[in-house]
Amino acid sequence: MFAKLALGSRLPSTIRRSNVYPAFIRAYSQSKFPRPHGQSFVHRSELKQAKRIVVKLGSAVVTRDECGLALGRLASIVEQVAMLQNQGREMMIVTSGAVAFGKQRLRHEILLSQSVRQALHSGQNQLKEMTVPVLEARACAAAGQSGLMALYEAMFTQYSTCTAQILVTNLDFHDEQKRRNLNSTLHELLRMNIVPIINTNDAVVPPPVPNSDLQGGNVISIKDNDSLAARLSVEMKADLLIALSDVEGLYDRPPGTDDAKLIDIFYPGDQQSITYGTKSRVGIGGMEAKVKAALWALQGGTSVVIANGTHPKVTGHVITDIVDGKKVGTFFSEVKPAGPTVEQQTEMARHAGRTLASLDPEKRGEIICHLADMLTEKKEEILNANRRDMELATTSGRLSQPMIDRLSLSTSKLNSLAIGLRQLAVSSQDSVGRVLRRTRVANNLELEQITVPIGVLLVIFESRPDCLPQVSALAIASGNALLLKGGKEASHTNKILHQLTQEALSIHGVADAVQLVSTREEVEDLCRLDKLIDLIIPRGSSELVRSIQKAAKGIPVLGHSEGVCHVYIDNDASIDKAIEIVRDSKCDYPAACNAMETLLIHKDLLRTPMFDQMIDMLRTQHVKIHAGPRFASYLTFSPSEVKSLRTEYGDLECCIEVVDSMSDAVDHIHKYGSSHTDVIVTENEETAEQFLQQVDSACVFWNTSTRFADGYRFGLGAEVGISTARIHARGPVGLEGLLTTKWVLRGEGHTVADFSEQGSMKYLHENIPVPQGNFSARSKSHQQE
């Protein structure tokens, strides 16, 4: 049976033999997890340092249908524990399941015995209806414990990991000699790199006494596996206790009830804010018992996470995710942060965002203009903060030169930002609430489609602090709430820019509409807030964008993962135009996503003065040239051949490739491009128009630099980024891309039945003139009528 579980190890063989080398593992773990025990972790991110970990498996996790074991869940849990053990951590398991396993075995034996007896005593050889007597829990535990342990042993053997069984009762902790013996045994097992599997000795344990789970501040009574796991964790000075149950974690009220919210971090003293429900249908401990045990363990210096160990989509990585510091379940912490949690920030932003959306357009414009004024008035403070970030980035050596370039601010950048924001304030007056269409569906039944904010935006950006006021202004103009997550390399600059943004918002009482996430939230955790965030906009490296697109499974993502932009030089191109366009596209700002990465040249231009001048210009500008496969074949001594034609260099580097025609250039762009920005340089209007029509990119230009692909240069005032997705917002995304629509229908008691075959009314569907002004003005005039 155990062989059929197919628990094939994914661990390297050198690690899987860890039981043979306990001394090596101990030395390795001491260097990797040097943290002394004594104080619990403050932040989830610190859980990666946990060396000694207790995993508590509740009855609902181990059992299936109240009788029998959930083999699939156990297999994935064993795999995770083995992986962590082989990383050099010390793992212990507190498990339920003996009663359920024993009940399954005893029921089978009783039914088999009854069927044999009835067959022997029935003259007609017909079996009577068989009934199974109520099985006593202690007897079930006695019958099931050996089988449960044999199952664990077989599963862990698949990973070359040895286990040991320990059965305990209350007396083993309260009797001093027995407690010392237990402690010594566990330490010796861990020293030998063995996983102890601990369970209450349910075959002899007395019935639980009500309200005796906690006795004073220093003693915990063992009445269930929650209290056992807590007592064991403190006794063994464990760094982390992971308590797996059949719920996602701790909720502020019973799960499944209206408005029940999962608590991300729980602090001592928050008990009064919790309303507990009934306990699990299996096991003897409810959530209240888990919380009391968790707080007792926390007081003893052990961090605790309560999480779901039954969900089929997460069971296979729930333990490793917790140890990796990911936002899973409820984390218990003794230190409450000074500021709000990211969930609270999002709620604050949503609430203030709705007020922002209801403001008159002129007031939103005043906020943006005030922010623009402060960008120039407070420029010295901004630039001083930026210099601090630049110094730290330079001395740390962790950022590439393109990233440092993006981090830098200047007076001219701030002036350009201010001009763009004022332009946006003017152009956005009738954006929110604008009537797009108006239809008379029937007599006295009118339909309008109007523009409305999307809701809560999450913008994640790297390095570029000038992104913060741009995106904030767009959110303000469109009436959206905004959550900002900037890179730590720009923390000082982002902080002052956010302060100025909130100061501008405060003139109309909506300062909370834009929030800056300054806690230790991981990007992947933010992407899980699908019930709070409506759209994610990443701005940064292709790696950042791809990771967000992968992590944000429940939230739409607007953006582009790469900027592989092309310039195609046609055989009818002007020499002067071609050289200047390529120079600007590649050298003006090579770190930008709209910089040229591949230069396509018509084959007829090879070995011509134009080609020679182009190469000389690139060399003069210190551009490193990589040869495409076709270009390399024309040369005796060629530059280094490209590893990939899909490379975004982000620096003074580019690829040169040869094509036979404009059509071949289009095919190359569609195959290797990223649908960002692509250019043709030619004097042939017919060729140019064909290129503009055929290239399926967000931006397609004729005789101009790729660097024009920008919201400010397009007259949008600002942009949240460039989208290469084939949705309504494509290319530089400004105000329009942050609006969606809703339908408003005004009638006088109409019903659908009125329009049936037997009804008295008919549909008209007549388009009627769209009123001037926005919806709020239209609504007021309608009410006055």
Side-chain angles (χ1 to χ4, degrees):
M1 177 182 71
F2 300 137
K4 295 180 181 179
L5 293 175
L7 302 175
S9 174
R10 295 196 292 265
L11 301 172
S13 59
T14 54
I15 296 180
R16 293 181 67 232
R17 292 194 295 270
S18 58
N19 281 305
V20 184
Y21 304 106
F24 163 76
I25 290 294
R26 287 198 304 276
Y28 171 75
S29 64
Q30 287 168 4
S31 64
K32 189 174 182 182
F33 315 108
R35 173 183 176 271
H37 181 85
Q39 185 174 359
S40 60
F41 296 114
V42 176
H43 303 285
R44 281 185 184 268
S45 59
E46 296 172 339
L47 295 180
K48 297 176 183 179
Q49 304 173 32
K51 176 186 177 183
R52 184 169 292 173
I53 302 172
V54 175
V55 177
K56 181 262 175 180
L57 307 178
S59 299
V61 176
V62 177
T63 62
R64 173 180 47 80
D65 299 329
E66 301 187 41
C67 185
L69 301 181
L71 295 179
R73 287 201 292 265
L74 277 180
S76 63
I77 288 169
V78 164
E79 181 178 25
Q80 294 171 79
V81 171
M83 289 177 68
L84 293 172
Q85 177 85 355
N86 287 317
Q87 289 176 5
R89 304 179 198 268
E90 297 174 341
M91 304 298 297
M92 293 179 280
I93 294 177
V94 174
T95 183
S96 302
V99 174
F101 200 7
K103 185 181 295 185
Q104 184 184 39
R105 291 184 60 187
L106 292 179
R107 280 183 174 178
H108 180 268
E109 292 297 326
I110 290 172
L111 289 174
L112 180 62
S113 175
Q114 287 183 353
S115 65
V116 171
R117 287 199 305 272
Q118 290 185 24
L120 291 174
H121 296 289
S122 174
Q124 299 178 350
N125 212 24
Q126 294 179 350
L127 302 183
K128 299 177 182 178
E129 183 178 349
M130 293 180 289
T131 59
V132 180
V134 176
L135 299 175
E136 203 271 333
R138 283 193 290 268
C140 292
Q145 187 64 47
S146 60
L148 176 65
M149 193 60 206
L151 181 63
Y152 275 119
E153 184 70 27
M155 288 181 170
F156 274 106
T157 299
Q158 302 290 321
Y159 303 96
S160 300
T161 301
C162 187
T163 60
Q165 174 183 257
I166 297 181
L167 298 178
V168 298
T169 63
N170 238 334
L171 187 61
D172 297 314
F173 288 97
H174 293 292
D175 182 280
E176 186 61 26
Q177 183 60 49
K178 289 187 176 183
R179 187 186 65 80
R180 284 199 300 266
N181 293 342
L182 175 62
N183 188 295
S184 175
T185 300
L186 287 170
H187 275 93
E188 182 64 14
L189 292 173
L190 294 177
R191 186 187 68 81
M192 293 188 293
N193 201 35
I194 295 173
V195 177
I197 298 178
I198 304 104
N199 196 359
T200 52
N201 192 351
D202 292 326
V204 299
V205 72
V209 179
N211 301 321
S212 66
D213 54 336
L214 293 175
Q215 303 287 349
N218 299 318
V219 180
I220 186 169
S221 179
I222 308 303
K223 79 165 191 177
D224 54 39
N225 277 341
D226 294 313
S227 52
L228 168 60
R231 179 64 190 259
L232 181 74
S233 299
V234 174
E235 182 72 26
M236 293 299 296
K237 298 181 179 178
D239 300 308
L240 173 63
L241 165 61
I242 299 174
L244 297 183
S245 181
D246 58 350
V247 291
E248 304 303 318
L250 176 61
Y251 287 78
D252 60 351
R253 61 195 69 189
T257 59
D258 291 342
D259 300 324
K261 293 181 180 179
L262 178 66
I263 298 173
D264 172 38
I265 306 178
F266 188 79
Y267 306 97
D270 286 354
Q271 296 96 313
Q272 301 302 319
S273 63
I274 305 298
T275 302
Y276 295 102
T278 58
K279 71 178 185 67
S280 171
R281 60 186 175 85
V282 293
I284 59 175
M287 183 55 72
E288 187 172 8
K290 290 176 175 58
V291 172
K292 288 181 178 179
L295 291 174
W296 192 89
L298 188 68
Q299 184 182 9
T302 297
S303 295
V304 183
V305 175
I306 296 177
N308 192 337
T310 64
H311 196 295
K313 291 185 178 180
V314 300
T315 302
H317 48 82
V318 60
I319 298 173
T320 51
D321 279 354
I322 290 170
V323 176
D324 283 342
K326 296 181 180 178
K327 188 173 287 189
V328 178
T330 301
F331 172 62
F332 286 72
S333 175
E334 286 194 297
V335 180
K336 198 164 189 174
T341 65
V342 68
E343 289 84 0
Q344 291 170 333
Q345 282 186 286
T346 310
E347 292 285 3
M348 292 161 60
R350 184 185 291 278
H351 180 74
R354 287 170 176 156
T355 305
L356 173 68
S358 68
L359 293 177
D360 292 336
E362 294 79 10
K363 292 183 178 179
R364 289 198 299 273
E366 288 174 8
I367 295 172
I368 297 171
C369 288
H370 188 46
L371 176 58
D373 292 340
M374 286 192 293
L375 289 178
T376 53
E377 293 171 5
K378 306 282 187 178
K379 67 180 179 181
E380 288 305 321
E381 295 178 39
I382 299 170
L383 294 177
N384 285 336
N386 187 244
R387 276 191 285 271
R388 291 181 63 189
D389 289 327
M390 291 287 291
E391 289 170 3
L392 291 171
T394 304
T395 54
S396 69
R398 290 195 300 267
L399 294 184
S400 64
Q401 189 57 47
M403 292 287 281
I404 291 178
D405 293 340
R406 293 179 182 181
L407 177 61
S408 175
L409 287 182
S410 63
T411 300
S412 60
K413 271 191 179 182
L414 293 176
N415 289 337
S416 296
L417 273 173
I419 293 171
L421 265 55
R422 293 189 186 98
Q423 181 182 9
L424 176 65
V426 173
S427 63
S428 65
Q429 291 299 305
D430 294 325
S431 56
V432 182
R434 187 172 71 255
V435 181
L436 300 178
R437 70 179 67 186
R438 192 179 177 200
T439 304
R440 180 173 289 109
V441 179
N443 289 332
N444 299 321
L445 184 63
E446 292 184 3
L447 176 69
E448 289 180 339
Q449 184 187 25
I450 63 171
T451 57
V452 293
I454 290 174
V456 179
L457 312 176
L458 167 61
V459 177
I460 303 170
F461 58 101
E462 293 176 321
S463 292
R464 294 182 55 177
D466 54 324
C467 171
L468 195 151
Q470 283 187 17
V471 174
S472 297
L474 284 166
I476 294 165
S478 57
N480 284 291
L482 178 61
L483 202 62
L484 292 157
K485 172 65 173 176
K488 60 182 179 182
E489 67 278 357
S491 60
H492 296 98
T493 317
N494 288 337
K495 183 178 180 180
I496 188 169
L497 289 173
H498 177 248
Q499 289 173 351
L500 297 179
T501 302
Q502 289 202 310
E503 185 178 332
L505 286 161
S506 65
I507 66 174
H508 289 300
V510 286
D512 288 340
V514 175
Q515 297 283 333
L516 180 65
V517 179
S518 56
T519 58
R520 296 191 182 187
E521 298 294 331
E522 298 290 339
V523 168
E524 190 171 336
D525 292 331
L526 292 172
C527 292
R528 290 193 176 104
L529 301 177
D530 56 300
K531 295 181 180 179
L532 299 174
I533 295 169
D534 300 296
L535 178 67
I536 300 177
I537 305 172
R539 294 191 62 170
S541 65
S542 57
E543 290 80 11
L544 170 73
V545 179
R546 279 195 295 267
S547 66
I548 290 172
Q549 289 172 335
K550 182 179 179 180
K553 296 178 180 178
I555 310 175
V557 178
L558 186 152
H560 68 281
S561 59
E562 292 174 316
V564 183
C565 302
H566 297 75
V567 174
Y568 164 58
I569 309 299
D570 187 53
N571 57 339
D572 291 327
S574 159
I575 295 179
D576 294 338
K577 289 180 183 177
I579 290 175
E580 289 308 311
I581 287 171
V582 171
R583 186 202 311 273
D584 190 76
S585 296
K586 180 70 263 183
C587 307
D588 175 68
Y589 189 9
C593 63
N594 58 12
M596 182 196 78
E597 305 295 2
T598 299
L599 175 61
L600 300 177
I601 297 180
H602 194 285
K603 67 176 182 178
D604 292 348
L605 298 178
L606 290 177
R607 302 184 179 91
T608 65
M610 173 188 282
F611 178 77
D612 293 339
Q613 290 180 45
M614 185 71 70
I615 297 299
D616 289 342
M617 180 274 294
L618 290 173
R619 286 174 175 165
T620 301
Q621 296 291 327
H622 307 290
V623 177
K624 182 178 180 181
I625 297 173
H626 302 276
R630 180 112 185 255
F631 180 44
S633 69
Y634 283 94
L635 305 173
T636 305
F637 301 100
S638 69
S640 61
E641 188 169 339
V642 293
K643 296 179 180 179
S644 171
L645 290 167
R646 295 187 175 92
T647 302
E648 181 181 14
Y649 299 100
D651 207 343
L652 286 173
E653 297 181 63
C654 75
C655 167
I656 296 180
E657 184 58 309
V658 176
V659 293
D660 290 337
S661 63
M662 181 273 293
S663 296
D664 284 347
V666 172
D667 291 341
H668 180 102
I669 290 168
H670 286 164
K671 185 174 183 179
Y672 300 108
S674 60
S675 301
H676 192 293
T677 301
D678 299 291
V679 171
I680 183 172
V681 182
T682 185
E683 296 304 300
N684 188 316
E685 183 176 351
E686 182 180 351
T687 301
E689 290 299 333
Q690 289 178 10
F691 183 91
L692 296 176
Q693 292 297 320
Q694 293 176 19
V695 173
D696 184 20
S697 296
C699 299
V700 190
F701 301 161
W702 173 22
N703 284 351
T704 188
S705 168
T706 60
R707 293 277 291 119
F708 277 101
D710 176 84
Y712 171 71
R713 294 172 187 135
F714 280 8
L716 304 180
E719 66 174 43
V720 294
I722 293 182
S723 171
T724 55
R726 287 162 177 82
I727 56 175
H728 75 289
R730 200 173 185 212
V733 179
L735 181 62
E736 296 294 329
L738 299 182
L739 295 171
T740 184
T741 63
K742 73 176 180 181
W743 298 87
V744 176
L745 188 64
R746 295 186 177 93
E748 295 182 356
H750 295 79
T751 64
V752 171
D754 295 334
F755 296 86
S756 65
E757 291 184 5
Q758 294 78 29
S760 59
M761 303 188 72
K762 301 294 181 184
Y763 289 109
L764 298 176
H765 292 138
E766 296 177 347
N767 291 330
I768 53 180
V770 173
Q772 297 297 316
N774 61 16
F775 174 76
S776 58
R778 163 75 177 85
S779 179
K780 290 175 183 177
S781 63
H782 181 84
Q783 292 172 357
Q784 291 172 356
E785 292 173 2

